[in-house]
Amino acid sequence: MADNIKFIKGEGIRLYTPENEEYIDAVSGTFNISLGYSHPELVEALKKQVEDLIHVSSSFTGELAQEVLDSILDEAPEHITDGWMRDIIGSTANEGAVKIANKFNGKSEVLSVSLSHHGQTLFTTNISGNAFRRKSFSNTISTNNAVIPAPYCYRCPFSAKGPDCGYLCAEAIHDYAQYGSSGGVSCMIIEPILGNGGNIIPPDGYFKKVREICDELDITLIADEVQTGIGRTGHMFASEYYDIKPDIITLAKGLGGIGIPAAAILYKKEYAVLEKFEHSYTSGGNLLSLTASQKTMEVVSRAGFLENVRASGKILGDFLNKLKEDYGHVIGDVRGIGYMWGLEIVDKDGAPDVDLANRIIDVALSDHKMILRGSRYGFGNVVKVRPALTATQDDIEEIYFRLNKIFSQL
Ligand SMILES: Cc1ncc(COP(=O)(O)O)c(C=O)c1O
């Protein structure tokens, strides 16, 4: 159905068809339109860059790339002091992070968690925790990497109950390293909030445990902040907010502000091990990406910007919890922070209801002109609500108003 709709204009969280019909995008594209459609400051900076110079080989963009990197590092967790600006998308940034870990510690195996999504190249499909994306591609199945249980408390894979659950999902790292691996686990990659998997927020204490185990086993910890980074949670980095202390952080999506592809890998200084010839792409760190990233950092770092995401995000969370009170028979759980929320859709027995989640998304588009997205590319039962970080309180109210109508209709 979405394939029949064509948009020719956008502003803030709103999109317009050639007939000037207005839609609300409650998920900011695929969570990459962090500053809303056509943010005027980005458009202006990009227009100027297009007029001046669109592309020049990355051999000649080093100075600008370093400036942009510095502006990101200024906001990064304190121990993260260096980085790499030669990527263009999240998938390659994650591949770069794994290369860095492999080269740094001389080991090769990668650990990730079930329901994770780290990209769609052969390798990142391989290390993501979703079999449905691998089904047709035998090259994405490797015995060199492993998926361990996700920290998904609402449906705990061990049926344990917090807060004294013993973090069995984190302890699984020990099990795998000792019994499942070749003895050479190089790194663990994890999203601070499992975005595609269903807006899954690990419990308090989980990341502390993971960090301890990684230290004990000499495993590099990579935080995939492709979705959570650059303000999505109301904090510049989710790693900082959740005190994850990763060795490496990857960024993409929101870094480009208005949908311009941009990516970065950030790390502790001892992880600066890559040679340029080992990881760079023709369009990696191109002038338009760098311009968009620079302006995005300027806007998101401004006084009051993230405070507003936190305050309005709280209001959004309150609205979604109110929906759960009113429609608790189909909304099993509401999870989120900042402008990153998910509604877990359940059937009468509390089991995941994927069909209903997809119906909610379809009805939102067809009857209420609102774009929502589902978890696991339509194979999951979580409906995601993640407006642009520039969404106002009026926008949030409008999203709630339409959601309310959708649930009452269904
Ligand atoms: C957490 C996470 N990591 C990595 C990626 C891959 O990024 P890209 O699609 O830019 O390659 C995605 C994309 O959805 C993602 O959500």
Side-chain angles (χ1 to χ4, degrees), residues 95-283:
E95 295 213 356
V98 171
K99 283 181 185 169
I100 291 170
N102 286 178
K103 193 168 176 192
F104 177 79
N105 58 27
K107 299 186 278 182
S108 63
E109 286 180 53
V110 184
L111 268 183
S112 60
V113 302
S114 53
L115 294 159
S116 62
H117 178 61
H118 300 296
Q120 295 222 40
T121 55
L122 281 177
F123 181 74
T124 51
T125 301
N126 178 323
I127 60 170
S128 296
N130 268 312
F132 75 90
R133 290 191 201 256
R134 289 196 211 115
K135 213 156 103 193
S136 308
F137 311 110
S138 56
N139 263 323
T140 65
I141 299 159
S142 151
T143 49
N144 211 21
N145 306 316
V147 170
I148 59 171
Y152 188 5
C153 297
Y154 184 72
R155 297 187 188 282
C156 175
F158 300 96
S159 302
K161 285 264 172 288
D164 301 318
C165 64
Y167 303 109
L168 300 174
C169 49
E171 289 294 347
I173 303 172
H174 266 136
D175 275 9
Y176 176 71
Q178 195 164 357
Y179 306 115
S181 77
S182 67
V185 181
S186 171
C187 56
M188 169 157 177
I189 183 164
I190 185 163
E191 301 154 78
I193 296 174
L194 275 69
N196 186 268
N199 228 69
I200 297 165
I201 304 182
D204 286 350
Y206 172 80
F207 284 116
K208 184 161 181 280
K209 189 78 189 164
V210 167
R211 181 69 267 182
E212 278 167 16
I213 297 172
C214 286
D215 284 343
E216 183 189 331
L217 301 178
D218 183 29
I219 295 172
T220 296
L221 182 57
I222 302 169
D224 175 347
E225 292 230 36
V226 167
Q227 288 203 20
T228 54
I230 316 300
R232 174 56 57 193
T233 63
H235 303 272
M236 192 63 86
F237 289 87
S239 295
E240 180 120 85
Y241 180 68
Y242 291 117
D243 199 19
I244 298 174
K245 298 195 171 65
D247 301 296
I248 305 177
I249 296 174
T250 53
L251 293 172
K253 291 201 189 272
L255 183 61
I258 55 173
I260 302 291
I265 311 171
L266 314 177
Y267 37 76
K268 292 173 14 188
K269 72 172 180 323
E270 59 269 35
Y271 279 84
V273 294
L274 282 187
E275 302 289 344
K276 283 180 185 156
F277 63 84
E278 289 177 318
H279 191 73
S280 49
Y281 297 87
T282 304
S283 305

